[in-house]
């Protein structure tokens, strides 16, 4: 499996060099004889290749008369959560409406191939519109295969009910047609040149950017955090840092890795553009790394005086994890500073536990260090790694 993927990725790279067209690989699983074990082998291969950027999606296709277990759908959900790959499901091409509902409710599809059966169900079209799920419409293929008859073209209803869709060319080598033919066909039937002009903008679940020109959103409702994070990143040429004031409902867990993954997923769903989130926590040696992901409620309960009373002199770590989603992959960067808890709170407490954390090598708390903190903090270490990654990959 890994060898086959490497061959495909090598072929994509050669094609890009020859054509100048940016390409991506969508891995398609066939409904026939599909099992969870087969699915896991695909995920394992992608993981072992360290999630190549050119693998952008996971697809389900094949004979729609073959039922697919919801367990397979749970696997697709897992892939989406762990890798941020796009999910596209072929469903409803031949009239089975229930397959489209399964694609939405169980597989969490970002895009659905064909979905001709949608036009039988007004409620379903309203759901697709509300959830902003893009339909891949293949007008010429549907005509040639007989999936659409009597000029009952799905795109007519999609326009009426504001269902997002894009025109695609299905099996161009077999049908001896190109995407140009699909565009011409659509224009002949609708006369809607405005829709064709805006077709790129209708691909709502795909995030593309020009290398060297990227907007990155910081999602947080904390103005202090927004200011500090923007200060770390504003020096990167051709990267524009924007604020998105949105509170994210964090899951309650000690495991910061689980927390930051969930937080990043929620943030990207808000913005649908390149986005970063950040989480910083304390890890007390005396408590085997607690509170970790529960630092905020732990601090809210104890506050500064009780915290120092219980833990003064205790060794601990302050760790920042940055989560970055570029629309294809999730990336994580860590920074860590060791220190101890001060005997009493010292300095401004507006940044919470800064007033009780004394970094190794210093006799002042973070709060007392002022701007010096920005030079040595765990956030700076994490953001320096993130900036280097951006410069190497996007600028």
């Amino acid at each position: 499996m890994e060898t086959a993927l490497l061959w495909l990725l090598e072929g994509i790279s050669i094609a890009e060099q020859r054509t100048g067209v940016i390409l991506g690989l969508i891995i398609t699983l066939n409904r026939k004889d599909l099992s969870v074990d087969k699915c896991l082998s695909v995920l394992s291969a992608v993981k072992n290749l360290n999630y190549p950027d050119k693998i952008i999606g996971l697809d389900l296709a094949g004979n729609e008369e073959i039922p697919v277990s919801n367990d397979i759908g749970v696997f697709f959900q897992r892939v989406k959560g762990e890798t941020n790959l796009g999910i596209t499901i072929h469903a409803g091409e031949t009239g089975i409406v229930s397959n489209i509902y399964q694609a939405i409710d169980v597989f969490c599809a970002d895009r659905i191939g064909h979905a001709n059966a949608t036009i039988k169900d007004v409620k379903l079209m309203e759901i697709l519109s509300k959830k902003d799920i893009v339909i891949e419409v293949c007008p010429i293929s549907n005509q040639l295969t007989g999936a659409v008859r009597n000029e009952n073209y799905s795109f007519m209803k999609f326009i009426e009910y504001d269902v997002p869709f894009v025109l695609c060319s299905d099996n161009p080598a077999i049908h001896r047609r190109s995407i140009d033919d699909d565009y011409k066909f659509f224009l002949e039937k609708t006369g809607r040149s405005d829709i064709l002009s805006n077709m790129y903008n209708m691909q709502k679940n795909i995030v593309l950017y020009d290398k060297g020109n990227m907007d990155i959103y910081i999602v947080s409702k904390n103005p202090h955090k927004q200011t500090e994070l923007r200060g770390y990143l504003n020096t990167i040429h051709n990267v524009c840092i924007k604020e998105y004031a949105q509170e994210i409902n964090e899951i309650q867990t000690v495991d910061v890795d689980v927390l930051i993954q969930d937080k990043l997923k929620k943030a990207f769903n808000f913005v649908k553009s390149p986005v970063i989130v950040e989480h910083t926590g304390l890890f007390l040696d005396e408590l085997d790394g607690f509170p970790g992901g529960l630092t905020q409620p732990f601090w809210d309960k104890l506050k500064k005086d009780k915290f120092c009373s219980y833990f003064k002199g205790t060794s601990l770590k302050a760790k920042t994890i940055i989560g970055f989603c570029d629309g294809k992959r999730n990336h994580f960067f860590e920074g860590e500073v060791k220190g101890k808890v001060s005997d009493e709170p010292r300095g401004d407490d507006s940044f919470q536990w800064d007033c009780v954390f004394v970094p190794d090598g210093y006799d002042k708390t973070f709060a007392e260090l002022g701007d010096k903190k920005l030079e040595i903090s765990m956030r700076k270490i994490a953001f320096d790694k993130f900036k280097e990654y951006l410069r190497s990959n996007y600028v």
Side-chain angles (χ1 to χ4, degrees), residues 214 216 233 236 239 241 275-276 322-325 331 333-334 380-392 394:
M214 178 189 280
I216 299 178
L233 295 172
I236 304 177
V239 172
I241 304 303
V275 63
I276 58 171
I322 298 166
F324 169 58
C325 178
H331 308 273
F333 309 88
E334 293 187 10
K380 182 180 186 303
I381 295 169
F383 272 95
D384 281 349
K385 294 177 182 177
F386 177 44
K387 288 194 291 186
E388 181 58 35
Y389 174 79
L390 288 178
R391 292 189 179 107
S392 299
Y394 299 101

Side-chain angles (χ1 to χ4, degrees), residues 13 23 37 59 72 91 109 120 126 129 131 155 159-160 166 193 208 222 234 236 246 256 272 286 296 305 339 365:
S13 177
L23 302 173
D37 286 342
D59 177 39
I72 303 296
K120 301 177 181 179
E126 291 173 346
S129 178
K131 289 182 174 288
F155 53 71
I159 294 171
E160 180 182 349
V166 291
S193 59
L208 296 174
N222 184 330
N234 271 340
I236 304 177
Q246 173 68 48
V256 290
K272 291 286 173 60
E286 191 173 294
Q296 187 63 56
D305 293 317
T365 66

Side-chain angles (χ1 to χ4, degrees), residues 10 58-59 67 70 76 129 150 166 181 207 218 243 319 365:
E10 183 180 353
L58 188 65
D59 177 39
N70 284 348
F76 272 70
S129 178
N150 301 321
V166 291
D181 296 307
V207 178
I218 300 172
E243 297 178 4
K319 183 162 71 172
T365 66

Side-chain angles (χ1 to χ4, degrees), residues 1-10 25 40-50 52 55:
M1 175 70 73
E2 292 165 32
T3 301
L5 287 175
L6 284 172
W7 287 343
L8 287 168
L9 293 169
E10 183 180 353
L25 178 63
L40 290 173
S41 69
V42 172
L43 178 59
S44 176
V46 174
K47 280 184 176 180
N48 291 339
L49 294 176
N50 198 26
I55 299 179

Side-chain angles (χ1 to χ4, degrees), residues 250-263 279 283 289-297:
E250 295 184 0
I251 59 174
Q252 299 299 296
T253 175
V254 176
D255 192 330
V256 290
D257 293 328
V258 171
L259 187 153
I260 198 70
Q261 288 176 27
D262 178 77
K263 192 172 180 179
H279 184 81
F283 300 77
F290 188 83
L294 296 175
T295 296
Q296 187 63 56

Side-chain angles (χ1 to χ4, degrees), residues 95-113:
I96 305 176
V97 177
S98 60
N99 284 348
I100 304 174
Y101 277 106
Q102 186 187 41
I104 298 169
D105 298 331
V106 182
F107 285 78
C108 298
D110 300 299
R111 297 165 68 119
I112 299 176

Side-chain angles (χ1 to χ4, degrees), residues 156-171:
M156 296 293 194
K157 286 292 186 181
F158 294 159
I159 294 171
E160 180 182 349
Y161 284 89
D162 196 29
V163 176
F165 69 92
V166 291
L167 296 178
C168 301
S169 181
D170 193 17
N171 294 323

